[in-house]
Amino acid sequence: DGGITQSPKYLFRKEGQNVTLSCEQNLNHDAMYWYRQDPGQGLRLIYYSQIVNDFQKGDIAEGYSVSREKKESFPLTVTSAQKNPTAFYLCASSIGGHLPTYNEQFFGPGTRLTVL
Amino acid sequence: AQTVTQSQPEMSVQEAETVTLSCTYDTSESNYYLFWYKQPPSRQMILVIRQEAYKQQNATENRFSVNFQKAAKSFSLKISDSQLGDTAMYFCAFMIAGGGADGLTFGKGTHLIIQP
């Protein structure tokens, strides 16, 4: 089945530790995204990547880092510099490209990160 | 920068009733897409309906329809014959056309509860 997988589903971290969230897609999509969701908030864009070996900061990139070494993978690292990392993290992908037509974003099931 | 506002944090209606969720947005772009996403308790994001700004005709998907008022920058979602399975968070979202690999801008969401 084609889709997006995120692992783990639940993740616990001690303060001061870096942690990496996994996102993999087998849809052959060029573009991938990371969003953060807090209670009472919509999704906010952390980072996005339009193509392999390239990525851009979103609205709330501070305290996060990403890499895009493979088309199918877009891991997100939550660093100790992120002051309030407890949240629900969603990964998405789309065909990508600056086309005039619509590029639907497909979402993964999410990872719930809790800082202890 | 674009902003999306959902002014109803929570709504509750009886099963089989019709309900309308409100969304307003602000942008200086002339060509863009608008979306309604559903997030049930499983937290999986599901695309409900989309509207291209250049189309005057309102989008419809079965029981879901939108009222798109471009001049007023308003994009409401109407759910007819509501069902218990419609209980979920609903997010309004915006994307610039042509920026197909850029991220979505979301509103804060409306929690819709369908009562039996």
Side-chain angles (χ1 to χ4, degrees), chain A residues 19-116:
Chain A
V19 63
T20 298
L21 282 60
S22 169
C23 177
E24 303 277 334
Q25 53 96 1
N26 61 3
L27 300 168
N28 200 31
H29 284 170
D30 282 318
M32 297 187 74
Y33 313 81
W34 275 106
Y35 293 91
R36 169 179 172 144
Q37 186 178 18
D38 295 282
Q41 300 282 336
L43 280 67
R44 291 181 290 168
L45 184 64
I46 304 172
Y47 267 98
Y48 63 102
S49 168
Q50 298 179 3
I51 200 165
V52 174
N53 292 322
D54 185 54
F55 48 82
Q56 289 80 39
K57 293 181 179 180
D59 300 321
I60 55 166
E62 185 175 351
Y64 299 97
S65 65
V66 294
S67 63
R68 187 84 188 277
E69 298 176 0
K70 298 186 295 182
K71 186 175 185 177
E72 60 270 23
S73 178
F74 190 40
L76 173 74
T77 297
V78 185
T79 74
S80 57
Q82 170 50 236
K83 297 306 179 186
N84 186 21
T86 294
F88 187 64
Y89 291 87
L90 284 156
C91 178
S93 72
S94 72
I95 292 174
H98 290 271
L99 304 172
T101 56
Y102 162 64
N103 281 272
E104 180 175 348
Q105 289 193 15
F106 296 84
F107 285 83
T111 292
R112 172 69 182 175
L113 172 64
T114 302
V115 173
L116 303 173

Side-chain angles (χ1 to χ4, degrees), chain B residues 1 4 7-8 27 32 39 50 56 71-72 79 86 101:
Chain B
V4 177
S7 59
Q8 304 152 312
T27 183
Y32 48 87
Q39 188 181 43
R50 75 169 187 268
Q56 291 188 339
I79 305 174
D86 295 333

Side-chain angles (χ1 to χ4, degrees), chain B:
Chain B
Q2 285 62 234
T3 60
V4 177
T5 302
Q6 294 179 249
S7 59
Q8 304 152 312
E10 185 169 291
M11 296 186 70
S12 180
V13 299
Q14 296 295 122
E15 193 175 7
E17 290 184 346
T18 295
V19 60
T20 299
L21 308 183
S22 300
C23 173
T24 58
Y25 59 95
D26 190 25
T27 183
S28 58
E29 301 288 334
S30 59
N31 200 12
Y32 48 87
Y33 299 102
L34 294 162
F35 311 91
W36 280 98
Y37 279 88
K38 171 184 178 180
Q39 188 181 43
S42 67
R43 306 201 75 170
Q44 178 70 52
M45 294 291 285
I46 303 165
L47 179 63
V48 175
I49 199 166
R50 75 169 187 268
Q51 174 79 42
E52 290 87 345
Y54 64 87
K55 290 186 176 180
Q56 291 188 339
Q57 185 174 6
N58 289 323
T60 299
E61 289 287 343
N62 301 313
R63 297 183 295 109
F64 299 88
S65 61
V66 299
N67 183 4
F68 174 49
Q69 302 289 329
K70 191 172 184 179
K73 295 181 180 176
S74 171
F75 183 60
S76 61
L77 174 70
K78 185 173 81 171
I79 305 174
S80 303
D81 186 26
S82 59
Q83 301 174 358
L84 296 178
D86 295 333
T87 293
M89 285 292 295
Y90 286 82
F91 293 98
C92 180
F94 174 101
M95 179 168 63
I96 299 171
D102 296 339
L104 291 159
T105 300
F106 286 87
K108 293 186 177 182
T110 296
H111 185 204
L112 176 63
I113 300 169
I114 308 299
Q115 304 277 9

